[in-house]
Amino acid sequence: IITGTVSDGNIKVKKGTTGVVLVLQDLDLTSTTGAAISINKEASAKIIISGTVTLTDAEDPTDEDSADAETADAYDGAALKVKANASAYLTGSGTLNINGTAKNGIKGGDDACLIIDGLNLNIAAVNDAINANYDLTILSGTITIYAGDDALHADHILTIGSEDGSGPVINIISCAEGLEGTVVNILGGDISITASDDAVNAANKYEGQLTPSLNQLGGNVTLTSQGDGYDSNGNINLIAGSASIPSRMNGGEAGID
């Protein structure tokens, strides 16, 4: 159980350590050297949010491209980092505020699994709000996002909601692209997206392994975009739920592409 205020520090779950439970309770944690919280390679952790928790990544963005290899390697570019082959399950009844002032809000590494279930989550990031190199699943909760680039991005599979049709309330106030993954599954929830590019995009990140697919099996989606509303480089399957998708009809953009 971790509580209090730290102006420059971080919490790390050691490589290969599993079964960890972190209870963050009324915590304000800022880090200038790496992520405020890191789940290191091949580790797993359940993170329970209680009260109001704020995680801020205050790294120097120039460190990512530093000529000094040690400085560049230490750069996380996220307030919460889930490294390669690790997993994190975020839940709780509290409010989690993520400030991605250096790059991303939350970052998942190669073959990492990130699940969000049931908390009030607010993310502001200069790049992606959540960027997962593998899978991202959001089962429930209330999420508000301001992103400079993608709001919710998964290279592999992005899933919103549960098979029973329940799901989160997601309000993406600003972004370039709203939901992006090789496969995007919308199973439930209420999703509102304002995007300067495509609102929902199934793009080919795992070429030869997955067919890009946008699948809606439930939920209510409201889109405002300057690009395509629903865009897929492969399949689009609209089975159930509802969607409001205005067509811009400018420069080849469409409601459904």
Side-chain angles (χ1 to χ4, degrees):
I1 301 175
I2 303 164
T3 187
T5 300
V6 179
S7 60
D8 192 4
N10 48 58
I11 299 165
K12 299 182 186 223
V13 177
K14 188 177 179 180
K15 177 181 178 181
T17 305
T18 59
V20 174
V21 178
L22 298 176
V23 179
L24 309 183
Q25 181 175 342
D26 293 317
L27 174 69
D28 189 343
L29 177 60
T30 298
S31 177
T32 63
T33 54
I37 295 181
S38 299
I39 313 301
N40 285 340
K41 293 179 179 180
E42 301 171 4
S44 69
K46 181 178 183 179
I47 301 174
I48 301 172
I49 304 300
S50 176
T52 300
V53 175
T54 301
L55 303 178
T56 301
D57 178 24
E59 295 174 282
D60 184 346
T62 63
D63 286 350
E64 182 175 18
D65 300 314
S66 173
D68 181 77
E70 185 175 350
T71 299
D73 288 345
Y75 182 81
D76 283 331
L80 171 60
K81 183 75 173 282
V82 183
K83 297 188 177 180
N85 295 291
S87 64
Y89 180 84
L90 275 72
T91 189
S93 60
T95 297
L96 174 60
N97 301 311
I98 297 279
N99 298 317
T101 57
K103 192 174 183 180
N104 302 312
I106 299 173
K107 174 67 179 176
D110 294 342
D111 296 317
C113 179
L114 178 61
I115 299 173
I116 298 171
D117 187 9
L119 67 151
N120 184 27
L121 176 61
N122 304 308
I123 305 177
V126 297
N127 194 59
D128 294 351
I130 303 180
N131 181 299
N133 285 6
Y134 197 61
D135 288 348
L136 170 61
T137 301
I138 301 176
L139 297 173
S140 65
T142 300
I143 301 174
T144 302
I145 290 174
Y146 295 83
D149 197 3
D150 296 346
L152 302 173
H153 174 103
D155 281 358
H156 195 239
I157 300 174
L158 170 61
T159 301
I160 308 293
S162 301
E163 291 183 359
D164 64 4
S166 64
V169 175
I170 298 176
N171 189 10
I172 300 172
I173 306 296
S174 61
C175 66
E177 294 193 336
L179 311 181
E180 184 174 50
T182 300
V183 175
V184 178
N185 298 315
I186 301 172
L187 307 182
D190 293 293
I191 303 168
S192 174
I193 302 172
T194 299
S196 62
D197 198 346
D198 299 338
V200 182
N201 186 25
N204 197 349
K205 301 292 183 181
Y206 271 70
E207 187 172 357
Q209 298 183 35
L210 289 174
T211 299
S213 299
L214 196 167
N215 308 306
Q216 184 175 359
L217 286 81
N220 305 302
V221 180
T222 302
L223 307 179
T224 302
S225 66
Q226 297 302 316
D228 297 321
Y230 278 178
D231 183 10
S232 176
N233 293 346
N235 301 322
I236 296 180
N237 301 296
L238 305 180
I239 308 301
S242 68
S244 171
I245 311 174
S247 177
R248 292 288 175 186
M249 297 184 67
N250 61 308
E253 307 297 351
I256 298 175
D257 181 6

